[in-house]
Amino acid sequence: GIQVEQSPPDLILQEGANSTLRCNFSDSVNNLQWFHQNPWGQLINLFYIPSGTKQNGRLSATTVATERYSLLYISSSQTTDSGVYFCAVERSSSNTGKLIFGQGTTLQVKP
Amino acid sequence: DAGVIQSPRHEVTEMGQEVTLRCKPISGHNSLFWYRQTMMRGLELLIYFNNNVPIDDSGMPEDRFSAKMPNASFSTLKIQPSEPRDSAVYFCASSLAHRQAYSNQPQHFGDGTRLSIL
């Protein structure tokens, strides 16, 4: 099956700092989503980005499908950004909607 | 718009009891997914439905787990009998899938049910 690797596994930032989270995947994909799991356990959709670049406020994401990776940028981090960030993909040959999740990056933003 | 609604939010029960988790997908969505999250295995897909029909249940752990989708606005995941190792957070998600492909649409998740089996 497709492998999804996220890095770094853990990240500690001072409030106001910028960061880049990475997601590598082992096969071509037709669906890639970034999620934020907040401290209450809720999974929040951040981006649906199988290719290209998108921005939403302080967050942006870029997926380079041909090179099989995606990046999530967090600028001017805030304590509310703390939590776990997941990348999830669906393999192109799957055509089933089945998402495979990475193990996540745990982010802690300190005041 | 209402998102995916799951109930209950928390469930604590004793080993051997039947547990039923409920999910109402986003109106108009035709694909529904059940996931389980544990520390050891992370987030894993259990089963998913398209147009109320189960498409792939290969992720269901064993016969003690069953899922149904009697109509487009309701699904259940049942564990009978429950065991302590079933303790986890169970998420339901839905998406709008094209007729020709089940993919290419984002999935939206409910808030999850935190299940504890004593």
Side-chain angles (χ1 to χ4, degrees):
Chain A
I2 189 169
Q3 303 299 312
V4 182
E5 296 181 356
Q6 293 186 240
S7 60
D10 301 281
L11 186 58
I12 300 175
L13 297 176
Q14 207 64 38
E15 198 169 27
N18 303 327
S19 64
T20 301
L21 281 58
R22 187 177 180 101
C23 172
N24 292 333
F25 40 95
S26 60
D27 204 345
S28 60
V29 300
N30 57 13
N31 184 359
L32 188 147
Q33 291 183 244
W34 283 98
F35 296 90
H36 175 216
Q37 188 164 37
N38 62 25
W40 296 270
Q42 296 171 312
L43 273 169
I44 310 299
N45 271 314
L46 295 178
F47 294 101
Y48 166 68
I49 187 166
S51 64
T53 297
K54 291 185 177 180
Q55 181 156 6
N56 184 4
R58 296 180 296 103
L59 274 61
S60 64
T62 295
T63 297
V64 184
T66 53
E67 297 188 21
R68 299 181 182 172
Y69 73 88
S70 183
L71 302 173
L72 177 68
Y73 305 95
I74 304 174
S75 64
S76 304
S77 59
Q78 301 176 358
T79 56
T80 52
D81 295 331
S82 297
V84 184
Y85 290 80
F86 289 103
C87 167
V89 305
E90 180 196 353
R91 196 172 58 187
S92 294
S93 58
S94 168
N95 205 33
T96 61
K98 182 176 181 177
L99 283 179
I100 305 300
F101 281 78
Q103 288 303 304
T105 292
T106 300
L107 173 64
Q108 182 182 0
V109 181
K110 294 186 173 182
Chain B
D1 285 343
V4 176
I5 299 173
Q6 292 186 245
S7 63
R9 288 298 311 277
H10 304 274
E11 175 88 12
V12 181
T13 191
E14 291 188 346
M15 174 179 170
Q17 297 297 306
E18 178 179 291
V19 173
T20 300
L21 311 181
R22 297 173 176 80
C23 176
K24 177 179 169 58
I26 293 173
S27 177
H29 282 188
N30 58 0
S31 289
L32 184 140
F33 308 81
W34 282 101
Y35 291 86
R36 179 173 66 175
Q37 185 178 30
T38 61
M39 289 294 292
M40 291 297 293
R41 300 175 65 90
L43 272 155
E44 51 182 349
L45 180 68
L46 300 178
I47 184 172
Y48 72 95
F49 297 82
N50 183 260
N51 293 323
N52 312 338
V53 176
I55 303 299
D56 184 352
D57 64 354
S58 60
M60 295 285 262
E62 48 197 273
D63 291 345
R64 297 184 297 106
F65 286 68
S66 63
K68 294 182 179 180
M69 192 164 185
N71 56 63
S73 59
F74 183 65
S75 177
T76 60
L77 178 67
K78 189 170 292 187
I79 309 172
Q80 168 63 20
S82 57
E83 297 182 3
R85 60 192 167 123
D86 302 329
S87 298
V89 180
Y90 291 80
F91 287 98
C92 176
S94 71
S95 71
L96 177 61
H98 293 301
R99 184 182 306 170
Q100 299 299 325
Y102 299 127
S103 57
N104 300 324
Q105 294 295 323
Q107 292 182 24
H108 299 267
F109 281 69
D111 288 345
T113 294
R114 185 173 297 275
L115 177 64
S116 297
I117 308 297
L118 305 177

